[in-house]
Each structure stands twice: as structure tokens, then as C-alpha cells.
Amino acid sequence: MQLKTHFIIFVAVNYKILYYPMKRLMISMAAMAALAVPSFAEETPMKISEPVRQNVSVKFNEDKIIGTETLPGGATVQICQREDGVLYKRFPEMGRNRLNPVVKRAESTGANFSEDFESWDGQDKSWLPEGWTRNRVQLQNVANGWMMSMPTMFGEIPSKCPAVFLSKETIEDWIITPAVNVTLGMNLDFDYLPLGPYFFDENYMTPDGLEFTELHTVATLKVMVSTDGGNTWSEVWDAASQFKNYKKFWDLYYSVVPTSVRLSLSKYMGKNINVAFVAQGTFESGTFVDNVAIGLPDLNLSYTLPTGSLYYGLTYYDAEPPTTIAVNHINRPVTFTNTSSNSGATYSWAYTDDRGEQTSDEQKKLTVTYAPNYDDNETGVALYPMPTLRGESSAANPTEYTRNGLFQPGGKGVHAVNFTDGTTEDVDFGLTILDAKTEGTATVTDWVTPLFGYDVNSSDYYWTSYSFGYQAGPNDLVRLVRYGDLFSNTADPMVIHGVRTQAYGRVSRNAKFTAEIYPLSAAWVIADEPIAKAICTGEDITIIDRSATNYILSLNFKFDEPVVMSTAVCGNYVVAIGGFNDPENVEYFSPELSAYDSPTRLGLGWVCKEMTYNGDQLPWSWSNVSNYTNVLQSFYIMLDATYPWLETETTEVDLSGGATAGVKFDSFFDGADLTVEGLPESITAQVTGRYNETVLNLTNNSATAGTANVTVKGPGVAKTLVVNYGSSGIDGVSVGTATGERQIYTLTGRRVVADESTLDAGVYIVRNADGTATKFIKR
């Protein structure tokens, strides 16, 4: 199967997932060669930053390397375990996680029977668990039947599980569970590795090896059930039969991924059963079985994060956080929404935050208000575990679900990083809608054309032919000019200082890329003009890695002024990257995006095309990337963004008698970045400090009484105070003018009762009957 080998080597060498879209367009090499190709020198001058990601580790969570694998083509894969126990694979050459996390089904707490085979000591040849039996019906070479293996595809690393390996002989080998009593609602669950291409006779393939003309089964994995202690057996599942409608080799090849199977045992209710896994036929490869359980199912639990949540992305030098961290606003309610669908189930929530308060319906929503936390740090920014959703049902096991990762209320994606020289820096990870820890990252290529980027040899021809067919006229042209992600606003503001994104590519120093923010109307129409725009030239691009033919590029954009986004501006908006369709300065550009469907089931990545038909310019055409890949994907666009806060318990300030006052604030921004508006000319103000040490200092230099609304402002945040000022707050007091009545006033000029014994403690102004004015203190 030479074709398969070539494909594996391609992936191993490029460290990327290659997609073949459903609407694939084949471009002839002759047509591409006919296009003009500008010259791009290897030594094109650019601003270069040597990769330093291998020299940093995140202070608050370091991943443990469990083991390594070598793929065909020589690529090394590390198997890593996060502090929370989740396992994933990464290519150390890239310094990034490029694969989906390794997933293991949670062991069913209500199972009558479960076996994960992890109790094997790794040495004893008698590897069958207690109570299991084996029946070697046809087996010449013992090495070709069931045996224990330690692959890395299931659960723990390495995962211990029964396996059938390469064999030239025909075998039939059974491994059989102990007897289990079946009650209402119970299922059989197990994990296995499908062998799509190897279940069927290769002699019935087309000459090019891309399709089976007929499916003749030569090997399979069967599941059999006995209700009489193994005397007779009934077949309940056949692996090969799951592929009876497959004919194309690639369809079968793509099926070779760890798979979970659930089989109902309702027909065996009230009976004692044995289950057998039967390897049968002539195997040309190996298969594995693991995590066998017989019992009630777990509930299917899920919840969404609060609207507007963004995830930690990458640093400027390509380092990524060790776990998922979601960020949202602070000091306002945030709501986690239960999206589970289980008939008759009841739900409850548990969460960690001694500063928050649960206020919502436990069944469907959990609403928590987080406040800055200065217990363990000076910044007030804290990380909390994701909440746990609990479900109960008479037809299922009690089940709990907690999303991977941590939740950060307020602030930026900034945390301390330890460098190998012993120094520590706060670095910015950027914020993105893409959770790379669960969605992975990839570039999408249709043969030689980067589907959502640009290749000087093929892209315009590709999209023109795709849109108009091969009958496109000489005045027809389609150019892909932007790609972007859809973001959602909240009522509370988010402040965007800039944008960054990554791509594979080769560009000249004169290239000019754009990052633009386009608002959407309530009818989901993208505006024609952006509300903000920033430029990144080829000279400003950071080259992360030069080891590949196309370098890994980091594009960093800064807006001239911070952009404040909230529902007061628009409900949703697109952050779009453009400028890559430039034949004079861009040879190749392929942006990164997610590799797998978004857990939200929303495709948030979009592309924009400029279209000319018969010489006439048509309106922009925005399309969702799922139209081309059938995957609900997002681009890896990161925002240099902040969820700020500015709070104070003070609402009114007294500056009578030339007083000076200090008002305490809690502010994300430094005092030097805050402004004070609405001040009378006689009052001076200065803001100092940051976080819970922020202070507004006010000084009154006037003898004239008055009131002013004074506002402290920062990007996206503001607080207004009522300031009363003047010498006493009493107009027309003059010594020696008799009034015939003794009167008492507060410093703000409010008259109070004349009986001093009833006054609250404080400072007061007394106007005596003879017209004199004095100040006294009531203690």
C-alpha cells in the first residue's frame, strides 16, 4: 500500500493536518506553471526573532513528558500529561500541541463489570485478568493471537490492552469476560481500533489502489454473547460490517482512529451473560481492545461558557499555555449554561469561588459574580477551576462533568514565565475564540493551494475556477482577500489594543498586511467599512521558525488607539486579516486555524472574496470556512485585549473648607493611564497606584461653594463621584451681622437641628445669633 506510506510521511514531515475538502478542485500542473512567478530571494531582509520558546516554561503549571514515539518519516512525538491529568501529544520540533488530546472514557461508576487491563504487571505472560478465559480455535503461531500491548492511543500512557498484531496466517482467537447479570438499561461499552483498509481483500482494488471494486472480508473483530455459560454463542457486532458501504481507500484509511462502541443489552435483561471478543481471519495489521464495561450508561453532560469568553492563545514567540484558560469580565454576573439533553435527569452545580454568589436556576444555569482576588497576588487576577455540572437519573449512573482548564475573571492573558537564565517575565498569551487544547491547530491545503491563504502560482486561478468553473472568461476573476473570526460582545466592555495571528509563508519586507474590525448588524450583515484598522509590514513580521520550506510567521498589529467593544457598539464583529493576496510581495501564505469541530458547534471562521464577473466588480462575498471543509472551524486570530475593571465604594466626596480628600479605587489600569473629567477650575486631581492601591487625590482651592460631577475614566471604564466644595458650604456668612437665631450646618451647607446633643459625630459650622460663624467638632 505505497500510497498510504507516502501520505503518512507527508504528514510527519509537515507536522500539519491535510484536509481534502468535499468540494475539491483539481488544478493541472501545466496551468499553474503558465502563471507568472515573481522572484523571492532566500535572504529576503526581514525582522527576525530567533525562536526562544524552547527556553521558557509556564510558572504556574508545567507539563510532564510521559514518553515519546517516532512516526514514519522520522518525526518525534511527545506524550505529555498536564497537571490536571489530561494527556495530549505534541511535536517538540514545533514547540506546540498539534494533535487532539488523548481521550479516555471515564470508568463507569455504576457498571456491574469493568476492565481497563491496567492491573497487568507488564511482565507476566498470563496477562488475562481474573475471571477472563481464552479459546484459541485456530492459531498456529501464538505470537499472532491475542496478547497484551502498551499502545499510546487509549487513556493512560502507555495504555495496557489486548492486541492482535501482524499475521500472515488465518486465526480465530477468543477472549471471554466473566459472567455478568444484566439489568434494565445496561449497555456494553468498549474502545477499539478499526482496521478499515485491512478488513478486505486487496486483490479487489482498482489498479491505482484508490478504490475497492468489491468488498471481500478477510479479517474482522466480532463481539459474541452467551447466555448459557459459553456453550452457545450469538453474534451481536462485527467490525468489518461497519464498513460495508465504504469503497474508497481514503474513506477506510481515515477510519483508523480509536473508536468507542456502545451496544444495547436490552434483549438480555435478567440473564447472566459472557461477552467474547473474537479476532478472526488473516490480519495484515493490528487491532486493540480496551476499557470494557457492562452497566448503566453515564449521562451525557455539557455546558457552555459565558458569552464573550476568550481563551489564552500564543505568545509573540509561539509558546502556548499548558492548559485551557478562559477569560471573561469581572464584577458582573457571568453565566454557565447547561446544554445537556437527558430525559428525566436532574442537575446541580458546584463551583470554586469564595467571593462569588450563586444566583441562578440550578437546573439550567449557574450565574456567578467574581471579584478581584488579592489574597495570593498583587494583581487581583485569579484562576479558578471550571464549575462542575452534576446529573442524576434512574436510567443512568450519577455523572459529573467539568470542562478542562481554568476560568479567569477579568484582566488579560498575562502570566509569569520562567526563563532559563533565571529571570521571570510577565508574558502576553493573547486571547482567541479558539481553544487550541481541544480543537487543535492546522493549515488547510487543497493539493498545492493553501485554501484560505495565498499561493502566487495558484490561488487566484483556484478560486476563479472554483466559482465560475473552467469556462471562466478572460474578464472573470475571484481573489481571496481576507480571513477572519466572528467574536461576540457582552454588555461590559472589552478593550482591544491590537491583533496577532500566525501563518506558514514566505513574504518580502515590503508586504503590507491589515487587521480590521468589522461590526455586524442585528441582521448579521457585515459592514462595508471597518471601525478600526492596523498595519503590519513584512519588515515587522517575526519569523518563529525557519526550518520548514515555508517559515512560521507571527504577524503583530497595534491600533493607534484602544478599541472598546461592547453590545453598545454592536452585538457581534469580525476581526479580519488582509493584504496577503499580493503577487509582488507574497509568495505563499497559509494561516493557522482549528483542526477539529468547535465544541460550541459554531463555525466562527470566515473568508472574504473579491469577485469580478465579465469585467464588473461585484460586492464582497463572505463565506463560512465550513462550506469548504465540512468542519466547524476558527482561525487562530488572537486579540491583545483586556476585560478591565474600575470600582469604588465612594459615591460622594466633601471638599469644604479647602479640604483634601483621597478616594480609594480598585482599577485594572495604572493611575497614570486614568483621566479625571468634570473638575471645577478650583479643584486639582491626581490618580496614583494600581489595582486595590489606586487612589484619587482631590484638593479644593476655592472659597466658593459648589457641587460637581467628577468622572474617573480609563479605556472602557468610568466612575462618577459627586464632589461638594467651598469654604463652608454656607453662602453670605459675615461676621457681625445679627440674625436673631442660632443655626447649625454641615460642611456641605445642609442645615441641621439646633440641638447639639442630637447631632452625629462630625465637624459642623455654627452661625450664631450675633452673626458670627464658628466651627465645632461633635465627638
Side-chain angles (χ1 to χ4, degrees), residues 252-289:
L252 290 163
Y253 180 78
Y254 289 143
S255 72
V256 185
V257 292
T259 301
S260 297
V261 176
R262 168 165 289 173
L263 303 175
S264 173
L265 298 176
S266 59
K267 64 185 296 185
Y268 301 106
M269 188 178 65
K271 299 179 180 179
N272 292 326
I273 67 169
N274 298 86
V275 175
F277 295 90
V278 184
Q280 190 178 78
T282 305
F283 282 80
E284 293 292 337
S285 186
T287 191
F288 306 83
V289 171

Side-chain angles (χ1 to χ4, degrees), residues 2-15 72-74:
Q2 195 68 24
L3 181 62
K4 177 189 69 175
T5 304
H6 285 175
F7 177 79
I8 294 176
I9 292 176
F10 178 89
V11 174
V13 170
N14 289 277
Y15 310 112

Side-chain angles (χ1 to χ4, degrees), residues 47-49 314-318 428-430 483 497-503 511-516 533-544 552-559 577-578 589 636-640:
K47 185 178 290 185
I48 298 171
S49 173
L314 300 172
T315 65
Y316 290 104
Y317 46 81
D318 200 42
D428 186 352
F429 286 93
Y483 67 88
H497 304 278
V499 175
R500 77 183 68 140
T501 191
Q502 287 200 173
K512 184 180 290 186
F513 294 86
T514 60
E516 299 169 304
K533 181 176 181 178
I535 302 293
C536 174
T537 67
E539 196 172 34
D540 297 324
I541 290 175
T542 300
I543 298 179
I544 299 296
I552 301 180
L553 310 176
S554 178
L555 285 69
N556 304 295
F557 304 84
K558 287 294 181 183
F559 295 114
I577 306 298
F589 187 86
Y636 214 173
I637 296 175
M638 288 153 280
L639 306 182
D640 176 10

